[in-house]
Amino acid sequence: MAIAYEQKDTILHVENLTVAYGEKVILQNVNIVEKDTVRAGKSQGQVIAVLGRSGRGKSTLFRALTGLEKPTSGRILIPDYSKPAANGQQPAKLVQEGDVGFVNQKYTLFRHKTVYQALWFALRNTTLTKAEKDEKIMHYLQEWGLEKNKDQYPNFLSGGQRQRTAILEQLLSSGYYMVLDEPFSGLDVGNIINVKKSFELISQSHELNTILFSTHDIELAVELADSIYIIGYPQDEKGNTINVGTVLRHFDLKQMGLAWHDGLRAEHLTCVQHIKEIMLKG
Ligand SMILES: Nc1ncnc2c1ncn2[C@@H]1O[C@H](COP(=O)(O)OP(=O)(O)O)[C@@H](O)[C@H]1O
Ligand SMILES: [Mg+2]
């Protein structure tokens, strides 16, 4: 049975994005529109998966989303929460470095900062008072099961604790958006569960929280995401492949009644199969 939800303001708008490295065009005409999803009586963030074969431009898209790579043309807009809403809609602004947190595959942490110090540093650009910062950090440490690790340095943390600290650090420093490039690669089953739990915690802690992640595990993407974009090489009218990445397909799992379920049902597996076929062609 499909779960009821509403869609509110646009929270991410990628408009005709083209990204090139020098002369080499990597991504072309990428369009993405994501809206704030609202579920009655529940904080429901957005979880968006980006799938595609190697070299199709997933990491390049993420670099553009975090503001690290400037678009060759097109633009990436997010709401500007520093301005008052007009006609019930926040004005939009171009995404800038710092708006979107970026967690790399290695979950890199500062070697010389304890968990608490790293999170304190993550809040450096906020206007919170010292007491408010402390309260916020302690709240998250408790919620994320890291209270006991508060004064530990990265070398003394387990893999799961490191991952949670790195994710939390980005969450605190960036606000609502977070990009994770292949966060599940090379993790054992236990740590995959840890990262999945962090996704849940982020998603449930604020309605505007928006996670974008890439993975080669299609089943995991269908299990976790409520929206999936497939990046790949399109074909021209003659059926020749164009070697520039773009969005080949978008699956809105909410609309399909496949979002927010525990585990995979037959309909989910059909969707996985469908995605595989599209990816193999592009
Ligand atoms: N800094 C760079 N300079 C030139 N080419 C790059 C650079 N980074 C990535 N590329 C190329 O861009 C293409 C897309 O890479 P990437 O975005 O990493 O794909 P994916 O993450 O889907 O594997 C590849 O052909 C890659 O070689
Ligand atoms: Mg990549």
Side-chain angles (χ1 to χ4, degrees), residues 21 24 26 53-61 181-182:
Y21 294 117
K24 193 179 168 204
I26 306 296
R53 297 175 70 184
S54 292
R56 297 308 192 258
K58 300 179 298 296
S59 297
T60 301
L61 173 63
D181 201 358
E182 299 195 24

Side-chain angles (χ1 to χ4, degrees), residues 50-70:
V50 176
L51 302 179
R53 297 175 70 184
S54 292
R56 297 308 192 258
K58 300 179 298 296
S59 297
T60 301
L61 173 63
F62 285 171
R63 290 177 58 79
L65 284 169
T66 52
L68 286 170
E69 205 64 57
K70 291 279 158 285

Side-chain angles (χ1 to χ4, degrees), residues 77-246:
L77 299 165
I78 59 173
D80 186 350
Y81 294 105
S82 72
K83 299 216 175 99
N87 307 320
Q89 169 90 36
Q90 291 299 136
K93 65 165 211 163
L94 290 174
V95 79
Q96 284 172 336
E97 239 182 296
D99 289 331
V100 178
F102 183 78
V103 179
N104 68 26
Q105 211 180 308
K106 292 185 192 140
Y107 297 96
T108 317
L109 291 171
F110 294 109
R111 276 189 23 229
H112 303 293
K113 285 196 204 302
T114 62
V115 171
Y116 186 91
Q117 287 165 345
L119 299 182
W120 187 271
F121 187 70
L123 291 172
R124 67 193 177 284
N125 293 327
T126 62
T127 52
L128 301 177
T129 64
K130 282 186 174 175
E132 285 166 342
K133 281 185 192 173
D134 181 70
E135 194 185 339
K136 188 161 185 162
I137 293 170
M138 293 314 292
H139 164 81
Y140 274 105
L141 288 179
Q142 194 187 14
E143 198 178 50
W144 288 52
L146 288 167
E147 240 178 339
K148 291 201 191 89
N149 310 103
K150 179 175 165 278
D151 298 316
Q152 282 178 338
Y153 289 94
N155 282 348
F156 295 92
L157 300 173
S158 72
Q161 291 157 354
R162 268 165 183 268
Q163 285 152 7
R164 268 173 288 157
T165 306
I167 293 173
L168 209 42
E169 197 179 63
Q170 291 303 315
L171 185 67
L172 292 184
S173 64
S174 63
Y176 302 124
Y177 298 86
M178 174 108 97
V179 164
L180 300 100
D181 201 358
E182 299 195 24
F184 299 103
S185 295
L187 300 188
D188 69 19
V189 282
N191 281 330
I192 288 178
I193 292 174
N194 279 323
V195 175
K196 276 163 82 170
K197 275 198 199 123
S198 325
F199 276 32
E200 253 171 57
L201 283 169
I202 295 171
S203 173
Q204 290 167 4
S205 71
H206 200 290
E207 162 197 330
L208 293 174
N209 279 352
T210 301
I211 297 171
L212 291 111
F213 73 105
S214 62
T215 179
H216 289 286
D217 187 332
I218 303 169
E219 294 189 3
L220 196 56
V222 170
E223 186 184 338
L224 295 178
D226 51 73
S227 180
I228 295 181
Y229 291 86
I230 303 177
I231 304 285
Y233 295 159
Q235 292 182 349
D236 64 15
E237 317 80 71
K238 291 183 188 141
N240 299 316
T241 301
I242 303 164
N243 290 332
V244 178
T246 195

